[in-house]
Amino acid sequence: MSETMLITGCSTGLGQALAVAAAREGYKVYATMRGLAKRDGLATRAAEAGVAIEIRRLDVRDSASIAAVGEEIIAIDGRIDVLVNNAGVGFVRSTEQASEAEIAAVIDVNQMGVIRCTKAVLPHMRRQRSGRVLTISSVGGLVGQPFNEIYCATKFALEGYMEALACYVGPVFNIHFTILEPGGIQSEFANSTLAQLAATGGILDDEYRPVLEQYMGTVQGREWANSPYQSAEDVAAVVLSCARSETPPVRMRTSPWGEELCRLKTDVDPDGRKMQAMVGEMFLGQG
Ligand code: NAP
């Protein structure tokens, strides 16, 4: 029987590419999105690739929608083998410029969304004594970047969340936890982030303005050879390699650009395994 894979945020970008690639590799894919009005893009790609994909509504802010999909998979397939926490939103504003409601909304999707979905699948994976949780973080989960402190705070939070689960739920219940850290993905992400900025007053005329313009000019003016951007398909291939690995890493960058940016944080323990061994020894008397 095929392994089941539940993916969040499949209307566009990495989620959509991963759903098709995983179905091609033989997974039974439950590709979810917060609004089914956007299902046609994925449905068309699945038809072109000649694969079947189950498309369902799941909003990571809505626990009931997460539970409904989880229960359906268990009712039909009896198991959830892989969860890919992919849904996420960008946010470009300084802390002073952001409203509390905007900040809470980013945390709700990027951080709470991952915790909600992981909480929903863990009882099944624990019962199965197997499973994988792959969470799409970012290089912004390791390196703070200008005007991205709210986004980075959510991705740093995911790094700690997954690292902690990996150190005890992993070895005790045979559930693998992996954090993926892309540098940049060709997707709707930048457009959606800039649309959110525009819809909430655009670039404000304050003391941050010249710094924000400098930041945007630097990011947008990068030569392609120096660009962090990978295709969604390339990142999906890295995610799938972790899903298939017998010994998946705790964390992984997805490109040389990302590796270079994070080098000062990751050189000593690139895949997080040394830290896991040390935490196991210090807190659980393992080793
Ligand atoms: P994308 O094309 O914008 O895709 C993001 C997906 O998340 C969309 O399907 C979006 O749905 C979905 N989403 C947003 N809010 C949601 C909610 N409440 N419930 C369920 N789904 C929701 O961007 P992407 O690049 O593929 O992003 C995928 C992941 O990669 C994200 O976690 C992002 O943080 C991470 N990442 C991206 C980059 C980059 O440069 N693009 C770099 C590093 C990491 P809608 O279409 O309905 O909005």
Side-chain angles (χ1 to χ4, degrees), residues 139 143 181 183 226 253-267:
V139 292
V143 178
E181 294 142 345
N226 224 355
R253 273 65 61 207
T254 64
S255 68
W257 188 95
E259 200 69 87
E260 179 61 21
L261 177 68
C262 299
R263 200 165 48 79
L264 293 177
K265 289 268 180 90
T266 56
D267 255 4

Side-chain angles (χ1 to χ4, degrees), residues 8-31:
T8 63
C10 295
S11 64
T12 54
L14 175 58
Q16 189 181 99
L18 178 63
V20 175
R24 269 206 182 108
E25 282 213 4
Y27 285 96
K28 179 163 181 190
V29 176
Y30 286 86

Side-chain angles (χ1 to χ4, degrees), residues 11 15 17 28 43 74 88 95-96 101 118 145 147-148 157 165 183 215 229 233 250 271 273 276:
S11 64
K28 179 163 181 190
I74 293 299
T95 298
E96 284 190 75
T118 305
Q145 292 154 53
F147 293 93
N148 272 270
L165 286 169
Y215 164 68
Y229 286 96
E233 288 72 22
V250 178
D271 58 15
R273 287 189 176 102
Q276 287 294 304

Side-chain angles (χ1 to χ4, degrees), residues 9-14 34 38 58-61 86-89 109 136-138 151 155 182-185 187-189 229:
C10 295
S11 64
T12 54
L14 175 58
R34 64 175 158 166
K38 289 191 178 176
L58 185 158
D59 185 330
V60 299
R61 296 166 301 182
N86 167 70
V89 292
V109 174
I136 312 302
S137 172
S138 164
Y151 178 74
K155 295 296 190 181
I185 307 169
S187 68
E188 285 306 309
F189 191 79
Y229 286 96

